[in-house]
């Protein structure tokens, strides 16, 4: 795989990337959430290469990336007024809308589903790439299937190597956590995946929403196939700990991912302790989570324990990822007696 830096005088790099895509190749690129692995959405053969490169099962559909001002008629069959209002208010940005699919879009992209997920990224490199190609890009997160998402070009290279033609290196992704995925039907919204944009931000941007509900149970997994319980997971055995607790665990070689306010005196002395940031700055925690998980996963610990944030808003999206990284296993715990 070729890596091209995107820091300054890089128009040639952008043209190279656009050529690779137009020739049916794969290009990884930064978005404001995580790195994406892109192919031209209407090129079914190129899209199949994405599934092969990630080891992603064919029944897990891809997000189509666009520019907000594009005519979406070759992607989406119908845009209800609420979806249109959300696009106007929140695009470009980390909001993915699931809408009825156009017949022009290959079924490979949507895994045969009648709906398509579409989003307009706000990262300048993603925007310039879309403008240079002039066509929608199907792009999942640029990581091995079910592993931790990639927030740097190095992560992409570590995971996908030569199955990708090119990575545009735009430095670390800003948000560090994926977009929020919603389904819009009439005046109602179902949140299929919590993400970088909070439900409160959606409500504030578009006041006349009838209902916002969340597809909570995993019986709703078919509504958004990416909701598998094991997801975003390190290779090392990983469990979650409830916010403010330290689990009772026999294993000595534990790496504990926690927050700056945790009382270190409560933590078993044999454990390695890594701070994800402060609970008062969840944006920072989101930026750190995946790179920290990848880093500690290489350290050869017997067990990783990740404390949930227990916070609202972005905290709920983070706790969703922490729980999935732990395949839904929450350790039984001892509550802190002081501090934490
Ligand atoms: O921030 C992001 O969304 C990143 C960047 C690269 O854009 N992309 C990303 O893609 O996270 P991926 O493929 O890792 O996750 C896409 C999510 C999955 O949960 C998938 O099931 C859901 O979107 N999805 C895609 N198409 C869908 C559809 N037609 N119906 C329901 N859910 C869909
Ligand atoms: Mg993903």
């Amino acid at each position: 795989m070729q890596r091209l830096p995107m820091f300054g005088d890089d128009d040639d790099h952008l043209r190279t990337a656009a050529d690779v895509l137009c020739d049916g190749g794969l290009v990884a690129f930064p978005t404001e959430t995580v790195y994406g692995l892109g192919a031209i959405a209407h090129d079914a053969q190129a899209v199949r290469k994405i599934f092969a490169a990630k080891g992603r099962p064919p029944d897990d559909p891809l997000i189509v990336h666009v520019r907000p001002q594009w005519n979406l008629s070759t992607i989406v069959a119908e845009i209800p007024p609420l979806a249109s209002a959300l696009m106007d208010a929140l695009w470009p940005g980390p909001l993915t809308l699931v809408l009825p699919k156009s017949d022009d879009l290959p079924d490979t992209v949507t895994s045969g589903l009648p709906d398509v997920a579409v989003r307009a990224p706000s990262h300048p490199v993603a925007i310039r790439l879309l403008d240079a190609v002039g066509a929608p890009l199907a792009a999942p997160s640029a990581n091995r299937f079910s592993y931790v998402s990639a927030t740097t070009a190095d992560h992409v290279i570590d995971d996908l190597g030569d199955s990708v033609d090119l990575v545009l290196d735009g430095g670390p992704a800003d948000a560090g956590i994926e977009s929020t995925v919603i389904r819009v039907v009439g005046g109602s919204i179902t949140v299929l995946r919590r993400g970088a944009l909070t439900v409160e931000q959606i409500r504030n941007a578009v006041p006349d929403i009838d209902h916002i509900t969340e597809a909570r149970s995993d019986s709703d997994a078919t509504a958004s196939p990416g909701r598998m319980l094991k997801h975003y997971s390190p290779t090392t055995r990983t469990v979650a700990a409830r916010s403010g607790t330290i689990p009772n665990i026999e294993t000595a070689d534990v790496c504990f991912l926690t927050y700056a306010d945790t009382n270190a005196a409560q933590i078993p002395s044999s454990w390695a302790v890594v701070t994800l940031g402060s609970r008062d700055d969840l944006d920072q925690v989101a930026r750190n989570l995946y790179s920290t998980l990848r880093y500690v996963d290489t350290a050869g610990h017997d067990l990783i324990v990740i404390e949930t944030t227990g916070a609202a808003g972005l905290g709920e999206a983070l706790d969703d990822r922490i729980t999935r990284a732990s395949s839904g296993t929450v350790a039984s715990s001892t509550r802190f007696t002081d501090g934490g």
Side-chain angles (χ1 to χ4, degrees):
M1 140 166 17
Q2 195 184 3
R3 174 212 297 258
L4 294 176
M6 297 297 295
F7 307 106
D9 186 16
D10 47 24
D11 285 350
D12 290 357
H13 296 173
L14 213 59
R15 265 191 299 277
T16 305
D19 288 346
V20 168
L21 288 164
C22 293
D23 288 345
L26 302 186
V27 172
F29 59 95
T31 83
E32 72 280 20
T33 57
V34 298
Y35 273 67
L37 177 60
I40 300 234
H42 290 84
D43 180 344
Q45 210 178 328
V47 170
R48 274 192 285 275
K49 288 191 208 166
I50 293 179
F51 287 90
K54 280 184 61 104
R56 182 172 174 125
D59 62 356
D60 193 354
L62 309 180
I63 296 174
V64 177
H65 294 66
V66 299
R67 298 281 288 125
Q69 64 271 26
W70 283 356
N71 177 336
L72 304 184
S73 61
T74 63
I75 304 165
V76 176
E78 188 201 325
I79 305 180
L82 176 56
S84 184
L86 289 162
M87 291 170 178
D88 287 345
L90 295 165
W91 277 7
L95 178 69
T96 298
L97 298 162
V98 173
L99 295 169
K101 166 189 176 298
S102 157
D103 290 340
D104 295 336
L105 189 72
D107 287 329
T108 327
V109 175
T110 62
S111 304
L113 293 175
D115 296 323
V116 58
V118 57
R119 95 170 184 97
S122 64
H123 193 290
V125 173
I127 288 174
R128 291 172 63 212
L129 182 64
L130 285 163
D131 284 342
V133 176
L137 297 177
S141 52
N143 53 282
R144 259 184 294 129
F145 177 67
S146 93
Y147 196 59
V148 181
S149 297
T151 56
T152 68
D154 281 333
H155 295 162
V156 179
I157 293 167
D158 288 348
D159 266 26
L160 302 176
D162 284 333
S163 55
V164 176
D165 298 295
L166 177 66
V167 57
L168 294 177
D169 185 349
D174 303 323
I177 184 169
E178 300 79 0
S179 65
T180 303
V181 181
I182 64 173
R183 182 187 299 279
V184 181
V185 178
S188 298
I189 290 175
T190 308
V191 179
L192 302 178
R193 179 179 71 180
R194 285 188 182 267
L197 194 74
T198 65
V199 169
E200 199 189 353
Q201 286 170 311
I202 295 174
R203 263 189 213 288
N204 290 343
V206 180
D208 36 313
I209 298 169
D210 294 340
H211 302 286
I212 300 188
T213 50
E214 196 181 351
R216 265 196 190 284
S217 81
D218 283 289
S219 62
D220 288 330
T222 46
S224 187
R227 290 176 53 89
M228 277 83 63
L229 199 48
K230 179 178 178 351
H231 206 148
Y232 316 101
S233 306
T235 309
T236 311
R237 193 160 73 88
T238 301
V239 299
R242 284 196 188 79
S243 174
T245 70
I246 295 179
N248 293 313
I249 283 169
E250 298 297 321
T251 319
D253 183 10
V254 170
C255 184
F256 186 44
L257 271 52
T258 183
Y259 307 91
D261 61 2
T262 300
N263 181 352
Q266 308 269 2
I267 302 171
S269 58
S270 69
W271 292 13
V273 181
V274 176
T275 298
L276 290 167
S278 163
R279 265 185 259 255
D280 298 333
D281 185 358
L282 295 177
D283 291 335
Q284 182 69 39
V285 173
R287 273 194 293 277
N288 286 341
L289 179 65
Y290 290 149
S291 54
T292 306
L293 273 177
R294 282 175 174 265
Y295 168 71
V296 301
D297 198 22
T298 62
H301 296 288
D302 292 337
L303 182 70
I304 298 170
V305 178
I306 319 172
E307 186 185 344
T308 55
T309 68
L314 186 59
E316 291 173 278
L318 287 165
D319 290 349
D320 171 83
R321 301 304 190 275
I322 290 169
T323 308
R324 289 173 200 282
S326 315
S327 310
T329 315
V330 181
S332 62
S333 30
T334 312
R335 192 149 283 278
F336 292 142
T337 50
D338 60 0

